[in-house]
Amino acid sequence: MKSLPFIDLSIVIAYLAGMVAVGVYFSRKNTSADQFTKASGRIPGWAIGISIYATFLSSNTFLGVPGKAFGSNWSSFVFSLSMPFAAWVATKFFIPFYRSTGEVSAYTHLEHRFGPWARTYAVICFLLTQLARMGSIFFGIALSLQALTGYPMSTIMVVVGICIVLYTVMGGMEAVIWTEVVQGVIKTIGALVILYLVVAGVSGGMPSIIEIGKTNDKFSLGTLAPDFTQASFWVILFYGFFMNLNNFGMDQNYVQRYHTTSSAKEAAGSVWLCVYLYVPVSMIFFLLGTCLFAYYQGNPELLQTIKMQVAAEKLPGGTTDAITNLAATLTPADYGDKVMPHFMVNKVPVGLLGLIIAAIMSAAMSTISSGMNASATVFSVDIYQKYIKSDLSPKQSLRLLYIATTAFGLLGMVTGIAMIGVKSVLDVWWMLSGIFAGGMLGLFLLGMISKSTKNTEALTATIIGIVVIIWMTFSTQLPDTYSHWRNPLHQNMIMVVGTLTIFLAGVLLTRLRRKEPVEKDVLLHSK
């Protein structure tokens, strides 16, 4: 962090040291796997709510959302508007169910309903989703800190990753939750500080920003037409509902927290607290993107610097003329993710910059740490103890969780490094999560709602759903000769269609099975 003033560097170092110190403090309590994964059920509901909010408010939100709003409009905000609907379903049905089972893993129920294959499939989908999430978040934090420090993105990911691994491994779930409470406060303050600085830098202030936003259609929530081939209002709403239902209803990150409270009522209250915090704060990040658009409209020379930087990254080793020509063709969507880091480098005063860097780190660390803990828990319970060795001693269980947590942290870093060069971090995360989570949610809903569905129908429906998801994901790569076989729907519909395919196919197969004995009986009597 050679380019940072001493005071800002001191703030960042103090923040990182504080996070590790929390891990050291709670490490004394981690004497069992139950303490490591569930904090022995002693965390107050309000702390859980803030920690869930902090997990939602990742660096994908902190950097990706302003970048998305800068490059297009507020259509992605519809994702946040879908949260209350998903939260209602989760608190009414899912939380009481999990609390009654007492199972720390969200996926044990699937084995009880359909057999070991269902549990294994859901676990694989979850772990792939976590790697995609952690990778995109590592990438997001490195993208901003590279602009502030000049260090390679891969180096930044490794340094930040080591700190996350340290406090997550040492402190377990209790450290994860309490650090997220602090991180949730820091990142919210950081967002408000940046918003104030941007508005103050625009001539005419907020009225001027609103006028520029209206002129350029920046406040649009997408077309209300029933169009599912583009990111319309309905596409984002349906995607948001199913993805948030997956988050609140069966994502191990959240399910695990429901067991850390003393009652189902406190667990439900924590989900609603998350919603009440996240919806308005996410709107602040969309407003921030629009404010940045207005700011750079009034400072075209700064915008040209960003365009040249992005063009140089796209043409490594290219001539000045080639880079300049490419820069002239770039649209706001091509460089939206670069705008906020550039503003912070050039316009945030000394002292505040350290706070904002800490806020960006908080945005990344809160989600990554919970993802590491949840992934390690799932690996330990659903894979290692299921298929490798079930009779682990308490000491062996704890050691396994330490090793698995470290391993998933390292894998998340590698995934983030592999994402270097992507166009939009938010788009990448939404696409990958939709692919991996769609089948998992469909199977889970089938198990909970259709009580008479058996193993054979569930397996057949899942195979059908996987085929549909694979087709929707990769058919866009087909050559023009086979263009009629391409998926015509927007990529965010993969989550929606994949979920509904598995659920509806399972229900249909179950009804067909019920009819068969009746038809056979009728034939016998007719003879």
Side-chain angles (χ1 to χ4, degrees):
M1 299 187 176
K2 53 192 176 184
S3 64
L4 284 179
F6 176 76
I7 185 171
D8 293 309
L9 181 60
S10 301
I11 292 171
V12 173
I13 291 174
Y15 165 75
L16 290 174
M19 293 298 101
V20 175
V22 171
V24 173
Y25 173 79
F26 286 112
S27 65
R28 298 174 297 175
K29 298 183 178 182
N30 276 323
T31 56
S32 68
D34 185 69
Q35 171 63 30
F36 189 90
T37 58
K38 297 195 290 187
S40 299
R42 298 178 308 196
I43 308 295
W46 64 265
I48 301 299
I50 295 176
S51 78
I52 296 175
Y53 156 73
T55 299
F56 261 101
L57 193 62
S58 66
S59 60
N60 288 348
T61 305
F62 209 99
L63 298 167
V65 166
K68 192 73 174 171
F70 181 97
S72 56
N73 52 37
W74 282 34
S75 60
S76 297
F77 179 60
V78 180
F79 179 92
S80 301
L81 297 180
S82 71
M83 284 183 72
F85 303 104
W88 182 84
V89 175
T91 54
K92 188 170 180 62
F93 300 105
F94 289 121
I95 290 178
F97 169 75
Y98 286 123
R99 293 287 303 198
S100 65
T101 64
E103 297 284 356
V104 68
S105 168
Y107 313 114
T108 307
H109 166 69
L110 289 174
E111 181 174 3
H112 297 328
R113 281 289 284 113
F114 302 128
W117 70 267
R119 180 179 184 177
T120 303
Y121 169 71
V123 165
I124 291 172
C125 287
F126 169 76
L127 293 178
L128 289 173
T129 304
Q130 289 310 296
L131 288 178
R133 173 184 282 167
M134 289 189 286
S136 64
I137 290 166
F138 268 118
F139 169 73
I141 188 174
L143 186 69
S144 59
L145 295 187
Q146 180 194 40
L148 299 171
T149 66
Y151 288 134
M153 292 175 70
S154 55
T155 303
I156 294 168
M157 291 187 208
V158 171
V159 172
V160 174
I162 288 171
C163 292
I164 300 172
V165 168
L166 282 174
Y167 79 74
T168 306
V169 169
M170 288 189 295
M173 178 53 82
E174 197 160 5
V176 168
I177 289 172
W178 287 113
T179 52
E180 284 183 333
V181 171
V182 175
Q183 290 161 346
V185 173
I186 291 175
K187 66 179 87 174
T188 305
I189 293 173
L192 293 172
V193 169
I194 298 173
L195 180 64
Y196 170 78
L197 293 173
V198 177
V199 173
V202 175
S203 177
M206 189 56 74
S208 177
I209 291 168
I210 293 173
E211 188 61 36
I212 292 171
K214 286 181 179 178
T215 303
N216 292 274
D217 200 29
K218 288 295 175 182
F219 297 109
S220 170
L221 295 179
T223 176
L224 291 175
D227 184 357
F228 299 98
T229 63
Q230 59 175 307
S232 65
F233 177 91
W234 302 109
V235 166
I236 303 299
L237 183 69
F238 289 141
Y239 170 82
F241 174 75
F242 280 99
M243 182 52 69
N244 284 316
L245 189 61
N246 178 76
N247 289 335
F248 288 135
M250 61 172 303
D251 189 316
Q252 182 69 24
N253 282 292
Y254 306 93
V255 173
Q256 200 165 326
R257 286 174 170 84
Y258 302 154
H259 294 288
T260 63
T261 60
S262 59
S263 67
K265 184 178 180 181
E266 279 209 353
S270 69
V271 169
W272 283 114
L273 177 59
C274 166
V275 173
Y276 297 148
L277 290 172
Y278 184 81
V279 174
V281 171
S282 68
M283 185 171 69
I284 289 173
F285 282 98
F286 280 98
L287 179 60
L288 179 55
T290 304
C291 292
L292 285 166
F293 181 85
Y295 176 84
Y296 281 95
Q297 285 284 98
N299 296 274
E301 70 286 352
L302 296 178
L303 197 58
Q304 182 60 26
T305 303
I306 297 173
K307 289 181 179 180
M308 291 295 289
Q309 177 193 346
V310 174
E313 290 176 0
K314 290 180 178 290
L315 285 177
T319 64
T320 304
D321 287 342
I323 291 172
T324 303
N325 291 335
L326 178 59
T329 65
L330 296 177
T331 64
D334 294 316
Y335 49 82
D337 282 348
K338 299 284 188 181
V339 171
M340 196 159 85
H342 180 271
F343 180 85
M344 290 188 294
V345 170
N346 294 281
K347 298 300 174 182
V348 175
V350 174
L352 285 178
L353 185 57
L355 171 66
I356 290 170
I357 291 175
I360 294 171
M361 285 184 169
S362 295
M365 295 169 82
S366 58
T367 307
I368 293 172
S369 62
S370 61
M372 287 166 55
N373 188 283
S375 298
T377 301
V378 166
F379 176 81
S380 172
V381 174
D382 295 300
I383 296 179
Y384 194 90
Q385 294 183 54
K386 174 68 179 173
Y387 296 108
I388 301 173
K389 187 179 180 181
S390 59
D391 55 337
L392 294 178
S393 67
K395 190 174 181 180
Q396 289 174 324
S397 295
L398 200 54
R399 187 186 303 119
L400 175 62
L401 287 167
Y402 289 156
I403 295 171
T405 302
T406 304
F408 281 107
L410 296 175
L411 285 172
M413 275 187 265
V414 172
T415 307
I417 292 169
M419 287 184 179
I420 292 175
V422 302
K423 181 177 177 180
S424 170
V425 65
L426 192 65
D427 283 345
V428 169
W429 160 235
W430 278 19
M431 181 187 73
L432 292 176
S433 60
I435 292 169
F436 298 137
M440 184 168 56
L441 179 60
L443 180 60
F444 196 82
L445 291 175
L446 182 63
M448 283 200 71
I449 297 173
S450 182
K451 301 295 185 184
S452 56
T453 299
K454 305 297 183 185
N455 177 38
T456 304
E457 294 90 49
L459 178 58
T460 306
T462 301
I463 292 171
I464 294 170
I466 291 172
V467 170
V468 170
I469 290 171
I470 290 173
W471 167 70
M472 292 186 71
T473 303
F474 298 107
S475 63
T476 54
Q477 306 301 317
L478 290 172
D480 292 339
T481 311
Y482 303 100
S483 59
H484 55 284
W485 289 105
R486 290 174 183 166
N487 167 30
L489 302 177
H490 189 270
Q491 65 181 21
N492 287 343
M493 289 300 292
I494 296 173
M495 171 75 176
V496 179
V497 174
T499 299
L500 292 176
T501 298
I502 292 178
F503 176 73
L504 294 176
V507 171
L508 179 61
L509 290 169
T510 302
R511 290 189 175 181
L512 290 174
R513 174 177 56 81
R514 282 178 177 175
K515 286 183 178 181
E516 283 181 3
V518 175
E519 290 172 354
K520 287 179 181 178
D521 196 44
V522 170
L523 286 171
L524 286 171
H525 282 290
S526 65
K527 289 178 181 179

